[in-house]
Amino acid sequence: MRTRDLTGDSTQVVRVPTTERPRVNQKTKMKVRDLEVWYGEKQALHGVSMDVAENEVTALIGPSGCGKSTFLRCLNRMNDLIPDVRIKGEVEFENQNIYAPEVDVVELRSHIGMVFQKPNPFPKSIYDNIAYAPKILGQVRKRTDMEDLVEHSLKRAGLWEEVKDRLQMPGLSLSGGQQQRLCIARAIAVSPSVLLMDEPCSALDPVATATVEQLIDELKENYTIVIVTHNLQQAARVAGYTAFFHLGNIVEYSDTDSLFTHPREKKTEDYITGRYG
Amino acid sequence: MSQGITLSPSRQLKKRYRAEKRFKAYCIGALVLAMAFLVLFFTDMIRQGYSAFVQTEIEVEVTYNEDTVKFTNESVREEVSPLISRAFYRTIPRRVDANPELMGTTETRWLTATAHVDQYRKGYSDRLDPELKATLDRLDSEGRVSYGFNSGLFFSGDSKIPSNAGLWSAFVGSFYVMIVVLLVSFPIGVATAIYLEEFAPDNRFTQGIEININNLAAVPSILFGLLGLAIFINFFGVPRSSALAGGLTLSLMTLPVIIISTRAALKAVPQNIRQGAQAVGASRWQAIRDHVLPLSLPGILTGTIIGIAQAMGETAPLLLIGMIAYIPDAPTSMTEAATVLPAQIFTWSGMPEGAYVSLTAAGILVLLSLLITLNATAVILRNRFERRW
Amino acid sequence: METSQILLVFFGGLVPMAAVAFALGRRKALLSDAAGSRMHSLPAQYGVYVATWMALPALAIGIVAASAALLGLQVPSAPFVLSFALFGAAVGLMIALRKVEPTLRARNAIEKFVYWTLFAASLVSILTTFGIIISILFEALKFFSQVSVWDFVTGTNWSPVATFRPGQQAADSQFGSVPLFAGTFMITLVAMSVAIPVGLLSAIYMSEYASYRVRTLAKPMLEILAGIPTVVYGFFAAITVSPLVVEVANFFGLHASYTNALAPGLVMGIMIIPFISSLSDDVINSIPNSLREGAYALGATKSETIKQIILPAAFPGIMAAALLGVSRALGETMIVVMAAGLRPNLTWNPLEDMTTVTVRIVDALTGDQAFDSPETLAAFALGLVLFVVTLTLNLISIIVIRKFRQSYE
Ligand SMILES: Nc1ncnc2c1ncn2[C@@H]1O[C@H](COP(=O)(O)OP(=O)(O)OP(=O)(O)O)[C@@H](O)[C@H]1O
Ligand SMILES: [Mg+2]
């Protein structure tokens, strides 16, 4: 372990040049450039740039309030829903800036799904929770197709065996871990190409967490996943790349192994070794 | 796998957006409709009622002598006499009694015209005798006819002569009734709320009280009238039509309003205030009396004012306990027969003469301005003093 | 003696005596404190303790005597009662004063007294409900002892004419309440078909679409609508809306009565709009935002989210609001008294005149019938039905709302 520089002030914000693309040979799914976000007068992101690799899991870590959720919610414009929010910069997805005026948010969100910190199943049956979006998006019209899709999504989410006999039960009757997997199944039912997850395991016990982590690992075959987590082991376990956020900036962004074993920045090291408040 | 994703709306999405637009339009339409009702209602009331705030007055010479004191309508010139409200002639003997020096003199005065003349001048009815019309027009051209502020609307009691009818007895009656409501429902309501919010154990009985209060808030008001009639009047012998009977009945209706808002105000005071006070040795009651109540006072007063305003507009239960009596003179005690503003409005709305229509609308405008003032006070109180934790 | 005089003497005596009792209790506590014994409570608390024990017997005697007098029982003369009350006060004072000792927990005693006072206050609301039930039930039972419940519930002819005479029971009177309930139902139906859509959609607009500014403007406006007294709505219905309905009906070649059921129904609907909208607004706002975000994140539009996620989730609450609205409409009195007819009329046509339960209650009890004339008693029977129906609706909606609140807390 390196010695700590006692003269350095660790609270001072230093704009470090971030590695926008950790590895050259990886295909990029989303490109974020100079993203700045204000909530009213308060600036939450100070010009963040980052490339998200395709079919990989990218983890966002950092102390509470550093802007991880804010960043994540900018990727599918969930932040548009908050009054008094101002967003500057570009987020490129499929060669289009998603903040360009001709982009339609509703369309965008059907391609970039999201799973939230607290499981939020709709107050409908398990079946309807999953069938809801494909139905309104007009993706599936036939009943049998829909049944297949529901089964497929539940299987992908590793929930099928537990609920296959009670698809008409309310989604809220499931346990917390099951609810979260239901929400994941719901999100992948519309086959988005990117899946954003904001602390998906924070409300779950270790067993349910392990199930979800395994699921994430399987999903990365077909999906690009960006996950916010406070659990550093989790980031190490599931993510190929990790970004460390601090006070609205990316301090360090690289493949997970090097970030955890050879952090280049002192702040990163302090954080991952638990010396940060 | 996701080649060719475009982020502009697809055909299918455009269709969904049309549904979106339609739905939003329905919602806006509903709100606009509700607002339109409000506007329509107020313009209608103002249109009907504004004219009652002024009255036609005619300048005439009044002669006081032995004859005119007896045959009072001879005190003015014969042709003008039928234009003047009967209410004036009645006052002559009293006036001469009070001022004996008037005897044998003539004075020029502006007198209130009859309702017929007034309605004709205001363009509501054309049913005025042609001869009278001619006289009126002549006086008008001489500048002896004009509109004056109808102070009688505020300062005289009810009357069978429309030009003389006013709201004074109703004001006094409403005032008495509100005093009773305040005296009864405020202490009991606040005490109940304190009990339920601060002391009551969470058991079946308490839940029963709570449900009962919520139900009382929704019981049709007329049933409170039946209660007032059967219990206060027939059983306890409170005088019928009295402000006391009305006030007691309305108190029971106001009680749930005060309880519910007081509970909300108490609930808004954070728990740590109570704990803080108790931590320095105050008892539960002392903590409530010295810390919680002062902090929740604005909320409690706001709720009370709103409850009072509601009671002030209530009519149905009062009909059953006889508060639609004809009350020309303001009551002087709680046990005398009285009327209240909404009941007076109801009585006037049932009068056959056309002049009462504008009087009713004017009464409504007065009542509404009182209620709006009360409610605005409540809102200001809330915004001014309410603390956000 | 006059009532007011008695009261004057009673309280005129009691208040100074309480002050004296307070001073005595406090002084005794102060003295024994000075003498070196540590008192449990503050001196003033002993004062309050003594004053309370002095006032209570006097008040109790006064209240018992007053209620007995109101009930028409034989009561001793006022001076006697007054002196008896004073005597009670003196005894209370003596006992309480003697009990002022260092070990007496005056503060706890006061608190206990406060607790029971508050508890007693909370019983008033229960008594009110009992009062309503009793006052209606007795007269209604008298009515049903003379008219069969079956005839009342199923009869289609309401014409109370004759008076009850011994031996000749209501021969010519007909108390079939169906037309009254039909009229009530029709007007309620009209009212709710205005109030529910308009109220609910405005609530949706205000909670989901409107900007902060529109909301702060529209909400008070709706509250004004809610604050308008019913007598005013009644006048509006009778003087403006009814003639309007007649004219519009004429325009379409229909005939409408001037006391048609449509006008009071429409106006009642307007009256109930703010009621529905503010309750629905609360309910919609209590749906957690995470549900909305969940739907948006799947690519749902706003109206899809509202219609398919928010409204179903809020359904129990909205349902409860609608039931409360119906309960209001059923019991609304002034609008129908002023704008609906008096003639019991069994019809489906809202352009005809119809009468309602509340109209007949008012009509029966404001006329000059004797208090136990059949029509008066019938009014209480109608009141009983109204009470039972609205109570059921209120209870269902109160319980549904409670459950709903709990599930989203
Ligand atoms: N809706 C909002 N309105 C105002 N400020 C906000 C809002 N949401 C977030 N913020 C502020 O923006 C900053 C970044 O918040 P963000 O939620 O992105 O942090 P985070 O890294 O996700 O924290 P956590 O780990 O606690 O979830 C914080 O200072 C927060 O207070
Ligand atoms: Mg977060």
Side-chain angles (χ1 to χ4, degrees):
Chain A
M1 198 188 292
R2 296 175 199 179
T3 50
R4 213 149 80 98
D5 177 6
L6 292 171
T7 57
D9 182 0
S10 63
T11 59
Q12 189 192 340
V13 186
V14 192
R15 284 290 307 272
V16 269
T18 54
T19 328
E20 287 160 2
R21 290 186 65 158
R23 222 188 281 162
V24 206
N25 59 355
Q26 192 83 28
K27 219 177 141 205
T28 301
K29 187 71 182 174
M30 298 186 85
K31 268 198 199 109
V32 182
R33 291 292 173 266
D34 300 318
L35 193 64
E36 298 184 25
V37 177
W38 286 265
Y39 293 111
E41 291 302 301
K42 185 186 181 333
Q43 188 165 8
L45 288 182
H46 297 265
V48 171
S49 298
M50 176 177 178
D51 285 1
V52 178
E54 180 159 19
N55 291 3
E56 260 298 355
V57 177
T58 304
L60 312 180
I61 59 170
S64 191
C66 65
K68 305 178 299 286
S69 301
T70 303
F71 178 79
L72 194 73
R73 291 164 60 92
C74 283
L75 299 184
N76 72 342
R77 294 185 57 178
M78 258 345 238
N79 272 341
D80 290 20
L81 302 171
I82 297 173
D84 286 344
V85 78
R86 263 186 314 136
I87 301 166
K88 254 176 72 184
E90 284 189 10
V91 177
E92 199 177 281
F93 171 69
E94 298 288 333
N95 301 319
Q96 298 167 75
N97 175 14
I98 66 169
Y99 284 95
E102 68 274 10
V103 168
D104 184 89
V105 250
V106 172
E107 188 74 42
L108 171 76
R109 289 187 194 132
S110 67
H111 298 294
I112 305 181
M114 189 161 195
V115 176
F116 298 82
Q117 179 169 359
K118 249 181 73 192
N120 57 350
F122 301 135
K124 296 173 178 290
S125 70
I126 296 171
Y127 182 95
D128 286 337
N129 257 285
I130 294 169
Y132 172 67
K135 197 155 50 191
I136 57 164
L137 297 180
Q139 292 174 337
V140 180
R141 283 165 212 269
K142 283 226 302 272
R143 210 187 133 72
T144 49
D145 290 352
M146 187 62 89
E147 279 165 7
D148 289 346
L149 177 64
V150 169
E151 180 177 343
H152 175 74
S153 311
L154 284 170
K155 276 186 175 151
R156 296 288 332 248
L159 192 58
W160 176 251
E161 289 303 321
E162 291 156 69
V163 301
K164 65 180 178 206
D165 303 323
R166 42 172 178 157
L167 291 177
Q168 294 311 322
M169 295 266 288
L172 285 162
S173 66
L174 298 172
S175 76
Q178 290 173 325
Q179 286 188 11
Q180 192 63 305
R181 278 179 284 150
L182 177 63
C183 291
I184 295 175
R186 181 177 81 183
I188 58 185
V190 293
S191 20
S193 52
V194 179
L195 205 52
L196 309 175
M197 300 179 150
D198 194 347
E199 303 182 39
C201 300
S202 67
L204 307 185
D205 70 69
V207 178
T209 303
T211 326
V212 173
E213 280 180 16
Q214 197 193 341
L215 170 62
I216 292 172
D217 209 47
E218 286 163 19
L219 289 175
K220 80 173 180 213
E221 299 294 316
N222 302 327
Y223 300 92
T224 302
I225 295 175
V226 185
I227 179 172
V228 171
T229 179
H230 275 288
N231 181 338
L232 300 182
Q233 283 81 25
Q234 183 172 62
R237 280 193 300 266
V238 301
Y241 300 97
T242 299
F244 172 56
F245 277 67
H246 182 64
L247 294 180
N249 286 299
I250 293 188
V251 174
E252 187 165 348
Y253 178 33
S254 65
D255 60 292
T256 305
D257 282 346
S258 26
L259 189 118
F260 279 104
T261 51
H262 308 290
R264 270 172 288 124
E265 299 292 332
K266 193 168 151 354
K267 279 206 200 87
T268 317
E269 188 188 341
D270 286 351
Y271 184 71
I272 59 180
T273 53
R275 251 172 288 189
Y276 185 91
Chain B
M1 59 174 264
S2 48
Q3 271 88 35
I5 291 180
T6 50
L7 296 180
S8 49
S10 63
R11 271 230 344 252
Q12 195 255 354
L13 181 55
K14 278 186 183 143
K15 212 172 102 198
R16 284 162 60 205
Y17 272 141
R18 281 198 291 280
E20 167 80 30
K21 274 220 183 84
R22 237 174 352 223
F23 184 73
K24 190 172 173 185
Y26 293 149
C27 293
I28 295 183
L31 191 62
V32 168
L33 198 61
M35 298 293 133
F37 285 141
L38 191 66
V39 171
L40 171 72
F41 170 81
F42 271 97
T43 42
D44 188 45
M45 285 307 130
I46 292 172
R47 189 178 59 80
Q48 307 251 18
Y50 80 97
S51 66
F53 288 95
V54 292
Q55 258 182 345
T56 305
E57 291 179 349
I58 303 174
E59 194 185 33
V60 289
E61 270 102 45
V62 189
T63 314
Y64 302 97
N65 57 37
E66 301 291 327
D67 287 345
T68 62
V69 168
K70 252 184 240 138
F71 307 100
T72 47
N73 55 340
E74 286 174 14
S75 61
V76 298
R77 283 217 316 280
E78 198 185 336
E79 44 172 21
V80 185
S81 164
L83 295 175
I84 305 299
S85 165
R86 271 185 296 141
F88 165 71
Y89 299 122
R90 287 189 190 162
T91 64
I92 289 186
R94 248 186 294 148
R95 192 170 148 78
V96 174
D97 268 356
N99 311 293
E101 73 278 4
L102 279 176
M103 210 55 175
T105 62
T106 299
E107 63 174 348
T108 311
R109 290 188 58 188
W110 283 95
L111 297 178
T112 306
T114 64
H116 276 300
V117 172
D118 193 49
Q119 294 281 298
Y120 167 70
R121 276 261 298 173
K122 288 171 181 169
Y124 288 124
S125 102
D126 206 26
R127 283 182 315 186
L128 193 63
D129 188 83
E131 236 171 85
L132 292 183
K133 264 187 210 169
T135 318
L136 188 66
D137 290 343
R138 207 196 66 236
L139 287 171
D140 210 353
S141 63
E142 290 167 11
R144 311 185 78 172
V145 184
S146 81
Y147 287 124
F149 176 65
N150 182 4
S151 59
L153 179 63
F154 296 93
F155 299 115
S156 48
D158 196 9
S159 167
K160 302 279 186 207
I161 307 167
S163 58
N164 202 36
L167 293 166
W168 181 247
S169 358
F171 280 136
V172 175
S174 274
F175 179 74
Y176 279 142
V177 169
M178 289 311 120
I179 294 278
V180 177
V181 171
L182 200 61
L183 286 181
V184 175
S185 61
F186 182 74
I188 298 182
V190 173
T192 305
I194 294 177
Y195 174 75
L196 289 176
E197 201 55 43
E198 307 284 346
F199 289 101
D202 186 20
N203 58 20
R204 282 281 167 94
F205 185 69
T206 308
Q207 280 174 16
I209 299 184
E210 280 176 11
I211 292 182
N212 174 55
I213 288 167
N214 284 328
N215 175 54
L216 273 187
V219 164
S221 60
I222 190 170
L223 297 181
F224 285 92
L226 289 181
L227 174 143
L229 181 62
I231 300 216
F232 293 136
I233 295 181
N234 288 344
F235 192 68
F236 283 119
V238 178
R240 199 177 142 86
S241 305
S242 66
L244 186 61
L248 288 174
T249 307
L250 291 185
S251 298
L252 298 184
M253 286 186 61
T254 313
L255 205 53
V257 182
I258 295 185
I259 295 174
I260 291 171
S261 53
T262 303
R263 287 192 69 179
L266 292 174
K267 206 175 259 164
V269 177
Q271 210 55 38
N272 57 20
I273 300 257
R274 297 175 182 82
Q275 285 157 2
Q278 277 170 281
V280 298
S283 69
R284 205 156 162 194
W285 166 241
Q286 282 170 328
I288 293 165
R289 187 191 58 193
D290 300 337
H291 300 278
V292 179
L293 278 184
L295 287 172
S296 50
L297 196 62
I300 297 176
L301 290 183
T302 304
T304 307
I305 296 176
I306 289 172
I308 292 283
Q310 235 176 57
M312 204 160 144
E314 195 56 66
T315 328
L318 301 182
L319 297 187
L320 299 192
I321 55 174
M323 291 193 81
I324 35 170
Y326 170 62
I327 313 285
D329 296 310
T332 53
S333 83
M334 295 278 182
T335 47
E336 263 173 62
T339 190
V340 292
L341 281 171
Q344 183 71 73
I345 288 168
F346 176 68
T347 318
W348 281 351
S349 76
M351 298 296 250
E353 292 96 326
Y356 280 106
V357 173
S358 356
L359 265 183
T360 312
I364 284 175
L365 290 176
V366 172
L367 175 64
L368 285 179
S369 12
L370 274 176
L371 294 184
I372 290 177
T373 314
L374 271 180
N375 283 312
T377 316
V379 170
I380 290 171
L381 197 69
R382 184 168 59 199
N383 293 348
R384 202 56 202 280
F385 295 104
E386 195 181 52
R387 241 187 249 221
R388 300 231 169 254
W389 304 95
Chain C
M1 265 202 271
E2 278 274 326
T3 326
S4 51
Q5 269 176 309
I6 299 176
L7 285 178
L8 198 70
V9 173
F10 186 70
F11 286 105
L14 210 55
V15 171
M17 277 182 67
V20 171
F22 174 82
L24 285 177
R26 205 180 90 130
R27 208 174 74 101
K28 183 164 177 206
L30 278 174
L31 285 179
S32 59
D33 211 23
S37 37
R38 257 190 57 74
M39 303 294 286
H40 170 271
S41 309
L42 295 178
Q45 288 165 343
Y46 289 97
V48 174
Y49 175 83
V50 175
T52 310
W53 274 112
M54 187 229 73
L56 270 185
L59 279 176
I61 293 169
I63 289 173
V64 167
S67 6
L70 281 173
L71 291 179
L73 299 180
Q74 193 70 31
V75 180
S77 69
F80 180 80
V81 172
L82 280 178
S83 26
F84 187 55
L86 287 188
F87 175 71
V91 172
L93 174 67
M94 299 260 284
I95 295 176
L97 206 51
R98 191 169 290 173
K99 281 174 82 176
V100 173
E101 297 268 325
T103 50
L104 174 72
R105 300 171 168 226
R107 190 172 92 175
N108 304 35
I110 297 172
E111 306 245 309
K112 215 175 218 165
F113 176 72
V114 168
Y115 176 88
W116 288 110
T117 311
L118 296 178
F119 176 74
S122 76
L123 293 182
V124 171
S125 68
I126 302 247
L127 287 180
T128 306
T129 303
F130 277 118
I132 292 178
I133 295 175
I134 289 171
S135 58
I136 300 173
L137 204 59
F138 275 124
E139 311 294 332
L141 285 181
K142 253 192 239 169
F143 175 78
F144 286 122
S145 71
Q146 283 153 324
V147 175
S148 91
V149 178
W150 182 250
D151 290 347
F152 177 76
V153 173
T154 61
T156 55
N157 185 5
W158 183 272
S159 50
V161 278
T163 47
F164 289 127
R165 263 180 236 119
Q168 180 227 330
Q169 286 197 348
D172 310 330
S173 278
Q174 297 278 332
F175 289 102
S177 61
V178 172
L180 309 192
F181 288 103
T184 307
F185 177 73
M186 172 62 78
I187 290 178
T188 302
L189 191 71
V190 174
M192 295 324 285
S193 44
V194 173
I196 292 181
V198 178
L200 182 57
L201 288 174
S202 341
I204 292 174
Y205 183 75
M206 285 201 294
S207 56
E208 299 286 323
Y209 287 104
S211 66
Y212 179 78
R213 276 189 46 166
V214 172
R215 212 170 18 240
T216 47
L217 215 75
K219 260 203 148 145
M221 298 264 278
L222 283 178
E223 273 168 25
I224 292 183
L225 216 48
I228 295 175
T230 52
V231 66
V232 176
Y233 277 118
F235 179 71
F236 181 61
I239 216 85
T240 306
V241 182
S242 282
L244 203 68
V245 167
V246 173
E247 260 176 51
V248 172
N250 273 343
F251 180 80
F252 288 107
L254 297 167
H255 173 76
S257 149
Y258 270 95
T259 47
N260 60 70
L262 195 56
L266 289 175
V267 173
M268 205 186 282
I270 299 176
M271 179 190 88
I272 296 174
I273 289 172
F275 196 71
I276 302 268
S277 79
S278 78
L279 281 174
S280 314
D281 199 18
D282 288 350
V283 169
I284 292 174
N285 278 326
S286 70
I287 301 295
N289 229 353
S290 64
L291 281 186
R292 294 182 183 86
E293 295 199 324
Y296 292 141
L298 291 171
T301 64
K302 199 157 193 166
S303 68
E304 285 159 355
T305 307
I306 296 169
K307 282 188 283 191
Q308 291 147 15
I309 306 294
I310 309 289
L311 290 187
F315 181 75
I318 294 170
M319 181 72 199
L323 286 184
L324 278 182
V326 170
S327 156
R328 270 232 152 158
L330 293 177
E332 171 48 41
T333 308
M334 293 318 291
I335 296 179
V336 282
V337 164
M338 294 168 80
L342 255 179
R343 181 172 70 101
N345 183 7
L346 195 55
T347 170
W348 282 108
N349 181 0
L351 294 177
E352 284 184 32
D353 58 328
M354 297 173 95
T355 195
T356 72
V357 172
T358 47
V359 170
R360 298 308 302 213
I361 294 178
V362 169
D363 189 55
L365 295 176
T366 53
D368 36 18
Q369 289 95 343
F371 190 72
D372 49 2
S373 79
E375 198 176 353
T376 320
L377 292 183
F380 283 90
L382 291 174
L384 181 66
V385 178
L386 185 61
F387 179 74
V388 172
V389 172
T390 52
L391 177 75
T392 314
L393 291 174
N394 296 345
L395 286 185
I396 294 176
S397 62
I398 290 168
I399 290 168
V400 168
I401 286 187
R402 277 170 81 99
K403 279 242 169 78
F404 177 81
R405 292 248 160 86
Q406 280 160 9
S407 69
Y408 284 108
E409 245 158 28

